[in-house]
Structure formats: C-alpha cells, structure tokens
Amino acid sequence: MTPCPTERIALFIDGANLYSAARALNADLDFSRLLEMYRAKGVLVRAYYYTAVIEGEEFSPIKPLVDWLDYNGFTVVTKPAKRFTDAQGHSRTKGNMDMEIAVDMLELAPRLDHVVLFSGDGDFRRLVAAVQAKGVRVTVVSSLKCQPPMIADELRRQADAFVELQDLLPEIGRPKVS
C-alpha cells in the first residue's frame, strides 16, 4: 500500500481470527506499531478491535489486551461469549462478532477510501463486496503461510488486495514471550 496522506483508512480487526493466525505463525503482535504503520499511510479514521469476552470470570486472559487497546487509540467492541455443551458433551464458548463488524463497516464506509480487514473468515466475502460497491477499496490481512491457511479463498479473491500477515511481522510483530 503506497502512502497517500489524504486517504481515509479504517481498520477492522476480528480479534479471535487475528489471534489464531498470529498464534499459527508463532508470533505476537505489537498493536501500537500497527497503528503507527497505518497512520503513516493516510488518515486513520478509526481502528476497531472486536472480541467476545467471558463475563463473570475473575481473570480473563483477554482483559489486559482489551483494556490496553481501549486506552491506546482503538475502538474496542465486545460482547459476552455464550457457553454451551456440544453433542459430545464438551463445554464450548462461542462469541461470533461478524454482525458487529459488518454493521460498523457499512456505517463508516461512506466516510472512507480504504478498509483494512484483519480476518480470513469467508463469511465476510459478501460484506467486502458491499463495501466495494460503495467505492471503498478493501485490503484483507490474514495468512496463507500457516497450516491450515487462515484465509478463505473466496475472501482473498473478493478483496482488492491481500496482505500476508507473516510479511507484516517485521513491522508489527514483537519477540514472542515464552
């Protein structure tokens, strides 16, 4: 992405999806460097981070990150995760943020030139098409270089540009804490 000082950019980060891709690449991300990188490319209108949280837990591993993001330039969107028991009797947690991402992206699209979606979820293909129809370029950031690949082929093909997360690690990664 070539810097354009007047290009209006917004980031939409599917927290669970980005976390899974980074973990598959054995990487930790530096979110302050991520903001700096996109601020250098244009006018960063908004940086959203979406994640489900488990309510009522004394300590949630996501809480420190959510607090840090909230105080450091991100608009954090959370909702309670749902607990359920699957057919095999295992306790599972579900916290899909697709609808929140879709609504926010469509609402903000008229005031943007470029959307950067950090997710490989194929469910977003139609959303990307709808945002493109409003004249907004869409870049998707995810990974093909992990097993299994984290980017759905239909989403990668729909996007105006695909950025391999591993290629961004020199700019936005940080040493993995053991």
Side-chain angles (χ1 to χ4, degrees):
M1 187 173 129
T2 314
C4 175
T6 61
E7 184 176 59
R8 298 165 301 165
I9 305 167
L11 311 180
F12 294 84
I13 301 171
D14 178 345
N17 196 283
L18 180 61
Y19 173 80
S20 294
R23 188 179 64 199
L25 294 170
N26 198 30
D28 280 334
L29 301 179
D30 184 327
F31 287 97
S32 60
R33 289 173 61 194
L34 178 84
L35 282 181
E36 288 172 25
M37 184 178 86
Y38 283 98
R39 284 181 176 138
K41 294 177 187 292
V43 177
L44 186 60
V45 174
R46 190 84 67 237
Y48 288 99
Y49 186 93
Y50 299 84
T51 189
V53 292
I54 299 171
E55 292 187 328
E57 283 193 351
E58 193 63 33
F59 176 77
S60 166
I62 192 80
K63 182 97 171 89
L65 174 63
V66 166
D67 287 344
W68 187 92
L69 292 169
D70 200 28
Y71 282 109
N72 287 280
F74 285 83
T75 300
V76 178
V77 180
T78 63
K79 76 176 181 186
K82 306 253 190 280
R83 288 186 186 269
F84 66 96
T85 304
D86 67 14
Q88 290 76 39
H90 299 110
S91 180
R92 301 272 186 220
T93 306
K94 182 176 179 168
N96 191 323
M97 299 296 292
D98 292 6
M99 188 60 68
E100 289 77 3
I101 293 170
V103 169
D104 290 344
M105 194 181 291
L106 286 167
E107 283 185 341
L108 201 55
R111 294 180 289 290
L112 299 173
D113 301 306
H114 192 172
V115 160
V116 183
L117 173 63
F118 288 79
S119 182
D121 187 338
D123 289 346
F124 289 125
R125 190 209 61 78
R126 183 67 187 96
L127 170 63
V128 168
V131 170
Q132 289 169 325
K134 295 178 181 297
V136 179
R137 285 186 317 108
V138 179
T139 296
V140 171
V141 179
S142 189
S143 185
L144 280 167
K145 297 189 176 176
C146 53
Q147 285 304 320
M150 294 298 294
I151 177 79
D153 191 54
E154 64 272 18
L155 179 62
R156 185 172 57 85
R157 289 172 186 265
Q158 183 67 51
D160 294 297
F162 169 72
V163 175
E164 171 60 50
L165 179 60
Q166 187 171 2
D167 296 344
L168 290 181
L169 293 179
E171 287 184 77
I172 66 167
R174 64 175 179 220
K176 187 95 168 130
V177 179
S178 301

PDB file of all heavy atoms in Angstrom, residues 49-80:
ATOM      1  N   TYR A  49     -11.382  -3.019  17.183  1.00  0.00           N
ATOM      2  CA  TYR A  49     -10.946  -4.349  17.604  1.00  0.00           C
ATOM      3  C   TYR A  49     -12.167  -5.038  18.194  1.00  0.00           C
ATOM      4  O   TYR A  49     -12.779  -4.519  19.137  1.00  0.00           O
ATOM      5  CB  TYR A  49      -9.828  -4.265  18.649  1.00  0.00           C
ATOM      6  CG  TYR A  49      -9.247  -5.616  19.006  1.00  0.00           C
ATOM      7  CD1 TYR A  49      -8.130  -6.103  18.339  1.00  0.00           C
ATOM      8  CD2 TYR A  49      -9.822  -6.411  20.000  1.00  0.00           C
ATOM      9  CE1 TYR A  49      -7.591  -7.347  18.647  1.00  0.00           C
ATOM     10  CE2 TYR A  49      -9.294  -7.651  20.310  1.00  0.00           C
ATOM     11  CZ  TYR A  49      -8.180  -8.112  19.632  1.00  0.00           C
ATOM     12  OH  TYR A  49      -7.656  -9.337  19.944  1.00  0.00           O
ATOM     13  N   TYR A  50     -12.522  -6.199  17.645  1.00  0.00           N
ATOM     14  CA  TYR A  50     -13.730  -6.925  18.051  1.00  0.00           C
ATOM     15  C   TYR A  50     -13.350  -8.222  18.756  1.00  0.00           C
ATOM     16  O   TYR A  50     -12.550  -9.005  18.241  1.00  0.00           O
ATOM     17  CB  TYR A  50     -14.575  -7.290  16.824  1.00  0.00           C
ATOM     18  CG  TYR A  50     -15.037  -6.082  16.044  1.00  0.00           C
ATOM     19  CD1 TYR A  50     -14.205  -5.494  15.089  1.00  0.00           C
ATOM     20  CD2 TYR A  50     -16.283  -5.518  16.277  1.00  0.00           C
ATOM     21  CE1 TYR A  50     -14.623  -4.381  14.379  1.00  0.00           C
ATOM     22  CE2 TYR A  50     -16.707  -4.410  15.558  1.00  0.00           C
ATOM     23  CZ  TYR A  50     -15.868  -3.843  14.620  1.00  0.00           C
ATOM     24  OH  TYR A  50     -16.286  -2.736  13.922  1.00  0.00           O
ATOM     25  N   THR A  51     -13.957  -8.444  19.912  1.00  0.00           N
ATOM     26  CA  THR A  51     -13.725  -9.710  20.604  1.00  0.00           C
ATOM     27  C   THR A  51     -14.881 -10.019  21.553  1.00  0.00           C
ATOM     28  O   THR A  51     -15.511  -9.112  22.097  1.00  0.00           O
ATOM     29  CB  THR A  51     -12.390  -9.703  21.373  1.00  0.00           C
ATOM     30  OG1 THR A  51     -12.117 -11.017  21.853  1.00  0.00           O
ATOM     31  CG2 THR A  51     -12.415  -8.732  22.554  1.00  0.00           C
ATOM     32  N   ALA A  52     -15.121 -11.290  21.712  1.00  0.00           N
ATOM     33  CA  ALA A  52     -16.102 -11.741  22.707  1.00  0.00           C
ATOM     34  C   ALA A  52     -15.362 -11.910  24.030  1.00  0.00           C
ATOM     35  O   ALA A  52     -14.176 -12.255  24.055  1.00  0.00           O
ATOM     36  CB  ALA A  52     -16.729 -13.057  22.284  1.00  0.00           C
ATOM     37  N   VAL A  53     -16.042 -11.630  25.121  1.00  0.00           N
ATOM     38  CA  VAL A  53     -15.441 -11.788  26.448  1.00  0.00           C
ATOM     39  C   VAL A  53     -16.322 -12.696  27.294  1.00  0.00           C
ATOM     40  O   VAL A  53     -17.544 -12.683  27.176  1.00  0.00           O
ATOM     41  CB  VAL A  53     -15.230 -10.432  27.162  1.00  0.00           C
ATOM     42  CG1 VAL A  53     -14.172  -9.601  26.459  1.00  0.00           C
ATOM     43  CG2 VAL A  53     -16.525  -9.640  27.250  1.00  0.00           C
ATOM     44  N   ILE A  54     -15.669 -13.474  28.127  1.00  0.00           N
ATOM     45  CA  ILE A  54     -16.406 -14.350  29.036  1.00  0.00           C
ATOM     46  C   ILE A  54     -16.669 -13.552  30.301  1.00  0.00           C
ATOM     47  O   ILE A  54     -15.744 -13.144  30.993  1.00  0.00           O
ATOM     48  CB  ILE A  54     -15.610 -15.637  29.330  1.00  0.00           C
ATOM     49  CG1 ILE A  54     -15.381 -16.404  28.017  1.00  0.00           C
ATOM     50  CG2 ILE A  54     -16.336 -16.491  30.354  1.00  0.00           C
ATOM     51  CD1 ILE A  54     -14.431 -17.560  28.133  1.00  0.00           C
ATOM     52  N   GLU A  55     -17.943 -13.301  30.555  1.00  0.00           N
ATOM     53  CA  GLU A  55     -18.308 -12.492  31.714  1.00  0.00           C
ATOM     54  C   GLU A  55     -18.309 -13.329  32.981  1.00  0.00           C
ATOM     55  O   GLU A  55     -18.557 -14.536  32.942  1.00  0.00           O
ATOM     56  CB  GLU A  55     -19.680 -11.857  31.501  1.00  0.00           C
ATOM     57  CG  GLU A  55     -19.658 -10.813  30.412  1.00  0.00           C
ATOM     58  CD  GLU A  55     -20.956 -10.057  30.319  1.00  0.00           C
ATOM     59  OE1 GLU A  55     -22.018 -10.633  30.607  1.00  0.00           O
ATOM     60  OE2 GLU A  55     -20.909  -8.875  29.945  1.00  0.00           O
ATOM     61  N   GLY A  56     -18.010 -12.681  34.085  1.00  0.00           N
ATOM     62  CA  GLY A  56     -18.087 -13.329  35.380  1.00  0.00           C
ATOM     63  C   GLY A  56     -16.828 -14.075  35.785  1.00  0.00           C
ATOM     64  O   GLY A  56     -16.747 -14.577  36.896  1.00  0.00           O
ATOM     65  N   GLU A  57     -15.836 -14.137  34.896  1.00  0.00           N
ATOM     66  CA  GLU A  57     -14.591 -14.795  35.277  1.00  0.00           C
ATOM     67  C   GLU A  57     -13.737 -13.812  36.065  1.00  0.00           C
ATOM     68  O   GLU A  57     -13.660 -12.635  35.730  1.00  0.00           O
ATOM     69  CB  GLU A  57     -13.806 -15.259  34.034  1.00  0.00           C
ATOM     70  CG  GLU A  57     -14.381 -16.507  33.424  1.00  0.00           C
ATOM     71  CD  GLU A  57     -13.425 -17.130  32.410  1.00  0.00           C
ATOM     72  OE1 GLU A  57     -12.404 -16.507  32.060  1.00  0.00           O
ATOM     73  OE2 GLU A  57     -13.720 -18.255  31.967  1.00  0.00           O
ATOM     74  N   GLU A  58     -13.087 -14.305  37.101  1.00  0.00           N
ATOM     75  CA  GLU A  58     -12.224 -13.472  37.928  1.00  0.00           C
ATOM     76  C   GLU A  58     -11.099 -12.863  37.088  1.00  0.00           C
ATOM     77  O   GLU A  58     -10.819 -11.691  37.153  1.00  0.00           O
ATOM     78  CB  GLU A  58     -11.634 -14.304  39.076  1.00  0.00           C
ATOM     79  CG  GLU A  58     -10.973 -13.484  40.153  1.00  0.00           C
ATOM     80  CD  GLU A  58     -11.923 -12.553  40.884  1.00  0.00           C
ATOM     81  OE1 GLU A  58     -13.116 -12.900  41.047  1.00  0.00           O
ATOM     82  OE2 GLU A  58     -11.484 -11.478  41.301  1.00  0.00           O
ATOM     83  N   PHE A  59     -10.459 -13.700  36.269  1.00  0.00           N
ATOM     84  CA  PHE A  59      -9.412 -13.203  35.382  1.00  0.00           C
ATOM     85  C   PHE A  59      -9.630 -13.764  33.990  1.00  0.00           C
ATOM     86  O   PHE A  59      -9.725 -14.964  33.808  1.00  0.00           O
ATOM     87  CB  PHE A  59      -8.014 -13.601  35.869  1.00  0.00           C
ATOM     88  CG  PHE A  59      -6.937 -13.174  34.908  1.00  0.00           C
ATOM     89  CD1 PHE A  59      -6.532 -11.846  34.871  1.00  0.00           C
ATOM     90  CD2 PHE A  59      -6.375 -14.063  34.019  1.00  0.00           C
ATOM     91  CE1 PHE A  59      -5.565 -11.426  33.971  1.00  0.00           C
ATOM     92  CE2 PHE A  59      -5.409 -13.655  33.099  1.00  0.00           C
ATOM     93  CZ  PHE A  59      -5.000 -12.331  33.086  1.00  0.00           C
ATOM     94  N   SER A  60      -9.708 -12.869  33.041  1.00  0.00           N
ATOM     95  CA  SER A  60      -9.832 -13.281  31.646  1.00  0.00           C
ATOM     96  C   SER A  60      -8.518 -12.925  30.963  1.00  0.00           C
ATOM     97  O   SER A  60      -8.045 -11.790  31.083  1.00  0.00           O
ATOM     98  CB  SER A  60     -10.989 -12.525  30.996  1.00  0.00           C
ATOM     99  OG  SER A  60     -10.919 -12.653  29.604  1.00  0.00           O
ATOM    100  N   PRO A  61      -7.910 -13.853  30.229  1.00  0.00           N
ATOM    101  CA  PRO A  61      -6.644 -13.547  29.568  1.00  0.00           C
ATOM    102  C   PRO A  61      -6.743 -12.415  28.542  1.00  0.00           C
ATOM    103  O   PRO A  61      -5.761 -11.758  28.244  1.00  0.00           O
ATOM    104  CB  PRO A  61      -6.237 -14.867  28.896  1.00  0.00           C
ATOM    105  CG  PRO A  61      -7.407 -15.762  28.981  1.00  0.00           C
ATOM    106  CD  PRO A  61      -8.347 -15.226  30.008  1.00  0.00           C
ATOM    107  N   ILE A  62      -7.937 -12.154  28.025  1.00  0.00           N
ATOM    108  CA  ILE A  62      -8.115 -11.104  27.021  1.00  0.00           C
ATOM    109  C   ILE A  62      -8.273  -9.721  27.662  1.00  0.00           C
ATOM    110  O   ILE A  62      -8.033  -8.699  27.029  1.00  0.00           O
ATOM    111  CB  ILE A  62      -9.319 -11.434  26.090  1.00  0.00           C
ATOM    112  CG1 ILE A  62      -9.347 -10.524  24.860  1.00  0.00           C
ATOM    113  CG2 ILE A  62     -10.636 -11.304  26.816  1.00  0.00           C
ATOM    114  CD1 ILE A  62      -8.404 -10.932  23.790  1.00  0.00           C
ATOM    115  N   LYS A  63      -8.634  -9.663  28.938  1.00  0.00           N
ATOM    116  CA  LYS A  63      -8.938  -8.391  29.608  1.00  0.00           C
ATOM    117  C   LYS A  63      -7.789  -7.372  29.554  1.00  0.00           C
ATOM    118  O   LYS A  63      -8.022  -6.215  29.206  1.00  0.00           O
ATOM    119  CB  LYS A  63      -9.368  -8.653  31.056  1.00  0.00           C
ATOM    120  CG  LYS A  63      -9.750  -7.412  31.824  1.00  0.00           C
ATOM    121  CD  LYS A  63     -11.234  -7.198  31.815  1.00  0.00           C
ATOM    122  CE  LYS A  63     -11.656  -6.088  32.750  1.00  0.00           C
ATOM    123  NZ  LYS A  63     -11.657  -4.773  32.125  1.00  0.00           N
ATOM    124  N   PRO A  64      -6.545  -7.759  29.886  1.00  0.00           N
ATOM    125  CA  PRO A  64      -5.462  -6.753  29.807  1.00  0.00           C
ATOM    126  C   PRO A  64      -5.288  -6.182  28.394  1.00  0.00           C
ATOM    127  O   PRO A  64      -5.065  -4.985  28.221  1.00  0.00           O
ATOM    128  CB  PRO A  64      -4.211  -7.515  30.243  1.00  0.00           C
ATOM    129  CG  PRO A  64      -4.731  -8.670  31.053  1.00  0.00           C
ATOM    130  CD  PRO A  64      -6.065  -9.018  30.448  1.00  0.00           C
ATOM    131  N   LEU A  65      -5.409  -7.032  27.371  1.00  0.00           N
ATOM    132  CA  LEU A  65      -5.289  -6.550  26.000  1.00  0.00           C
ATOM    133  C   LEU A  65      -6.422  -5.592  25.659  1.00  0.00           C
ATOM    134  O   LEU A  65      -6.194  -4.513  25.104  1.00  0.00           O
ATOM    135  CB  LEU A  65      -5.277  -7.718  25.008  1.00  0.00           C
ATOM    136  CG  LEU A  65      -5.300  -7.318  23.524  1.00  0.00           C
ATOM    137  CD1 LEU A  65      -4.066  -6.522  23.144  1.00  0.00           C
ATOM    138  CD2 LEU A  65      -5.466  -8.542  22.641  1.00  0.00           C
ATOM    139  N   VAL A  66      -7.641  -5.968  25.999  1.00  0.00           N
ATOM    140  CA  VAL A  66      -8.808  -5.121  25.710  1.00  0.00           C
ATOM    141  C   VAL A  66      -8.655  -3.769  26.400  1.00  0.00           C
ATOM    142  O   VAL A  66      -8.909  -2.722  25.786  1.00  0.00           O
ATOM    143  CB  VAL A  66     -10.114  -5.845  26.133  1.00  0.00           C
ATOM    144  CG1 VAL A  66     -11.288  -4.886  26.168  1.00  0.00           C
ATOM    145  CG2 VAL A  66     -10.400  -7.007  25.187  1.00  0.00           C
ATOM    146  N   ASP A  67      -8.227  -3.768  27.654  1.00  0.00           N
ATOM    147  CA  ASP A  67      -8.031  -2.505  28.376  1.00  0.00           C
ATOM    148  C   ASP A  67      -6.960  -1.652  27.706  1.00  0.00           C
ATOM    149  O   ASP A  67      -7.132  -0.449  27.513  1.00  0.00           O
ATOM    150  CB  ASP A  67      -7.652  -2.762  29.836  1.00  0.00           C
ATOM    151  CG  ASP A  67      -8.828  -3.254  30.665  1.00  0.00           C
ATOM    152  OD1 ASP A  67      -9.989  -3.123  30.211  1.00  0.00           O
ATOM    153  OD2 ASP A  67      -8.585  -3.787  31.768  1.00  0.00           O
ATOM    154  N   TRP A  68      -5.834  -2.288  27.340  1.00  0.00           N
ATOM    155  CA  TRP A  68      -4.736  -1.554  26.709  1.00  0.00           C
ATOM    156  C   TRP A  68      -5.204  -0.942  25.387  1.00  0.00           C
ATOM    157  O   TRP A  68      -4.954   0.230  25.111  1.00  0.00           O
ATOM    158  CB  TRP A  68      -3.526  -2.471  26.473  1.00  0.00           C
ATOM    159  CG  TRP A  68      -2.349  -1.695  25.979  1.00  0.00           C
ATOM    160  CD1 TRP A  68      -1.363  -1.128  26.715  1.00  0.00           C
ATOM    161  CD2 TRP A  68      -2.069  -1.357  24.598  1.00  0.00           C
ATOM    162  NE1 TRP A  68      -0.481  -0.466  25.898  1.00  0.00           N
ATOM    163  CE2 TRP A  68      -0.895  -0.585  24.595  1.00  0.00           C
ATOM    164  CE3 TRP A  68      -2.697  -1.644  23.397  1.00  0.00           C
ATOM    165  CZ2 TRP A  68      -0.325  -0.096  23.425  1.00  0.00           C
ATOM    166  CZ3 TRP A  68      -2.137  -1.141  22.218  1.00  0.00           C
ATOM    167  CH2 TRP A  68      -0.965  -0.387  22.247  1.00  0.00           C
ATOM    168  N   LEU A  69      -5.872  -1.739  24.554  1.00  0.00           N
ATOM    169  CA  LEU A  69      -6.355  -1.253  23.264  1.00  0.00           C
ATOM    170  C   LEU A  69      -7.303  -0.074  23.438  1.00  0.00           C
ATOM    171  O   LEU A  69      -7.209   0.931  22.727  1.00  0.00           O
ATOM    172  CB  LEU A  69      -7.050  -2.377  22.492  1.00  0.00           C
ATOM    173  CG  LEU A  69      -6.173  -3.528  22.006  1.00  0.00           C
ATOM    174  CD1 LEU A  69      -7.042  -4.683  21.513  1.00  0.00           C
ATOM    175  CD2 LEU A  69      -5.200  -3.079  20.940  1.00  0.00           C
ATOM    176  N   ASP A  70      -8.196  -0.189  24.423  1.00  0.00           N
ATOM    177  CA  ASP A  70      -9.194   0.845  24.685  1.00  0.00           C
ATOM    178  C   ASP A  70      -8.538   2.170  25.067  1.00  0.00           C
ATOM    179  O   ASP A  70      -9.018   3.238  24.706  1.00  0.00           O
ATOM    180  CB  ASP A  70     -10.131   0.362  25.793  1.00  0.00           C
ATOM    181  CG  ASP A  70     -11.454   1.100  25.810  1.00  0.00           C
ATOM    182  OD1 ASP A  70     -11.892   1.576  24.744  1.00  0.00           O
ATOM    183  OD2 ASP A  70     -12.056   1.194  26.893  1.00  0.00           O
ATOM    184  N   TYR A  71      -7.424   2.119  25.787  1.00  0.00           N
ATOM    185  CA  TYR A  71      -6.730   3.330  26.222  1.00  0.00           C
ATOM    186  C   TYR A  71      -5.727   3.839  25.202  1.00  0.00           C
ATOM    187  O   TYR A  71      -5.122   4.892  25.393  1.00  0.00           O
ATOM    188  CB  TYR A  71      -5.984   3.081  27.542  1.00  0.00           C
ATOM    189  CG  TYR A  71      -6.879   3.082  28.743  1.00  0.00           C
ATOM    190  CD1 TYR A  71      -7.153   1.900  29.415  1.00  0.00           C
ATOM    191  CD2 TYR A  71      -7.455   4.253  29.220  1.00  0.00           C
ATOM    192  CE1 TYR A  71      -7.981   1.878  30.529  1.00  0.00           C
ATOM    193  CE2 TYR A  71      -8.286   4.253  30.321  1.00  0.00           C
ATOM    194  CZ  TYR A  71      -8.545   3.056  30.971  1.00  0.00           C
ATOM    195  OH  TYR A  71      -9.361   3.045  32.074  1.00  0.00           O
ATOM    196  N   ASN A  72      -5.489   3.092  24.129  1.00  0.00           N
ATOM    197  CA  ASN A  72      -4.413   3.437  23.211  1.00  0.00           C
ATOM    198  C   ASN A  72      -4.858   3.567  21.757  1.00  0.00           C
ATOM    199  O   ASN A  72      -4.137   3.166  20.842  1.00  0.00           O
ATOM    200  CB  ASN A  72      -3.276   2.414  23.330  1.00  0.00           C
ATOM    201  CG  ASN A  72      -2.518   2.600  24.626  1.00  0.00           C
ATOM    202  OD1 ASN A  72      -1.672   3.465  24.743  1.00  0.00           O
ATOM    203  ND2 ASN A  72      -2.860   1.791  25.615  1.00  0.00           N
ATOM    204  N   GLY A  73      -6.026   4.134  21.541  1.00  0.00           N
ATOM    205  CA  GLY A  73      -6.415   4.513  20.202  1.00  0.00           C
ATOM    206  C   GLY A  73      -7.342   3.577  19.443  1.00  0.00           C
ATOM    207  O   GLY A  73      -7.703   3.861  18.309  1.00  0.00           O
ATOM    208  N   PHE A  74      -7.723   2.463  20.056  1.00  0.00           N
ATOM    209  CA  PHE A  74      -8.640   1.534  19.391  1.00  0.00           C
ATOM    210  C   PHE A  74     -10.060   1.731  19.910  1.00  0.00           C
ATOM    211  O   PHE A  74     -10.257   2.066  21.075  1.00  0.00           O
ATOM    212  CB  PHE A  74      -8.229   0.078  19.658  1.00  0.00           C
ATOM    213  CG  PHE A  74      -7.029  -0.366  18.873  1.00  0.00           C
ATOM    214  CD1 PHE A  74      -5.753  -0.090  19.327  1.00  0.00           C
ATOM    215  CD2 PHE A  74      -7.177  -1.047  17.677  1.00  0.00           C
ATOM    216  CE1 PHE A  74      -4.639  -0.489  18.611  1.00  0.00           C
ATOM    217  CE2 PHE A  74      -6.074  -1.449  16.945  1.00  0.00           C
ATOM    218  CZ  PHE A  74      -4.803  -1.172  17.415  1.00  0.00           C
ATOM    219  N   THR A  75     -11.019   1.502  19.050  1.00  0.00           N
ATOM    220  CA  THR A  75     -12.409   1.407  19.470  1.00  0.00           C
ATOM    221  C   THR A  75     -12.647  -0.082  19.685  1.00  0.00           C
ATOM    222  O   THR A  75     -12.619  -0.864  18.722  1.00  0.00           O
ATOM    223  CB  THR A  75     -13.351   1.956  18.380  1.00  0.00           C
ATOM    224  OG1 THR A  75     -13.034   3.326  18.146  1.00  0.00           O
ATOM    225  CG2 THR A  75     -14.806   1.812  18.797  1.00  0.00           C
ATOM    226  N   VAL A  76     -12.822  -0.470  20.928  1.00  0.00           N
ATOM    227  CA  VAL A  76     -12.979  -1.881  21.264  1.00  0.00           C
ATOM    228  C   VAL A  76     -14.459  -2.215  21.338  1.00  0.00           C
ATOM    229  O   VAL A  76     -15.224  -1.533  22.027  1.00  0.00           O
ATOM    230  CB  VAL A  76     -12.277  -2.216  22.602  1.00  0.00           C
ATOM    231  CG1 VAL A  76     -12.484  -3.677  22.965  1.00  0.00           C
ATOM    232  CG2 VAL A  76     -10.785  -1.897  22.511  1.00  0.00           C
ATOM    233  N   VAL A  77     -14.847  -3.237  20.604  1.00  0.00           N
ATOM    234  CA  VAL A  77     -16.238  -3.689  20.590  1.00  0.00           C
ATOM    235  C   VAL A  77     -16.249  -5.108  21.152  1.00  0.00           C
ATOM    236  O   VAL A  77     -15.591  -5.997  20.618  1.00  0.00           O
ATOM    237  CB  VAL A  77     -16.826  -3.667  19.164  1.00  0.00           C
ATOM    238  CG1 VAL A  77     -18.273  -4.141  19.170  1.00  0.00           C
ATOM    239  CG2 VAL A  77     -16.704  -2.282  18.550  1.00  0.00           C
ATOM    240  N   THR A  78     -16.976  -5.272  22.258  1.00  0.00           N
ATOM    241  CA  THR A  78     -17.050  -6.589  22.897  1.00  0.00           C
ATOM    242  C   THR A  78     -18.508  -6.996  23.057  1.00  0.00           C
ATOM    243  O   THR A  78     -19.412  -6.162  23.001  1.00  0.00           O
ATOM    244  CB  THR A  78     -16.398  -6.591  24.296  1.00  0.00           C
ATOM    245  OG1 THR A  78     -17.120  -5.698  25.153  1.00  0.00           O
ATOM    246  CG2 THR A  78     -14.936  -6.195  24.237  1.00  0.00           C
ATOM    247  N   LYS A  79     -18.687  -8.288  23.248  1.00  0.00           N
ATOM    248  CA  LYS A  79     -19.993  -8.793  23.646  1.00  0.00           C
ATOM    249  C   LYS A  79     -19.746 -10.067  24.433  1.00  0.00           C
ATOM    250  O   LYS A  79     -18.699 -10.707  24.272  1.00  0.00           O
ATOM    251  CB  LYS A  79     -20.923  -9.006  22.452  1.00  0.00           C
ATOM    252  CG  LYS A  79     -20.658 -10.223  21.607  1.00  0.00           C
ATOM    253  CD  LYS A  79     -21.735 -10.339  20.533  1.00  0.00           C
ATOM    254  CE  LYS A  79     -21.525 -11.552  19.662  1.00  0.00           C
ATOM    255  NZ  LYS A  79     -22.453 -11.610  18.544  1.00  0.00           N
ATOM    256  N   PRO A  80     -20.693 -10.431  25.284  1.00  0.00           N
ATOM    257  CA  PRO A  80     -20.486 -11.644  26.087  1.00  0.00           C
ATOM    258  C   PRO A  80     -20.441 -12.895  25.216  1.00  0.00           C
ATOM    259  O   PRO A  80     -21.222 -13.036  24.281  1.00  0.00           O
ATOM    260  CB  PRO A  80     -21.707 -11.688  27.005  1.00  0.00           C
ATOM    261  CG  PRO A  80     -22.374 -10.358  26.901  1.00  0.00           C
ATOM    262  CD  PRO A  80     -21.937  -9.749  25.604  1.00  0.00           C
TER     263      PRO A  80
END
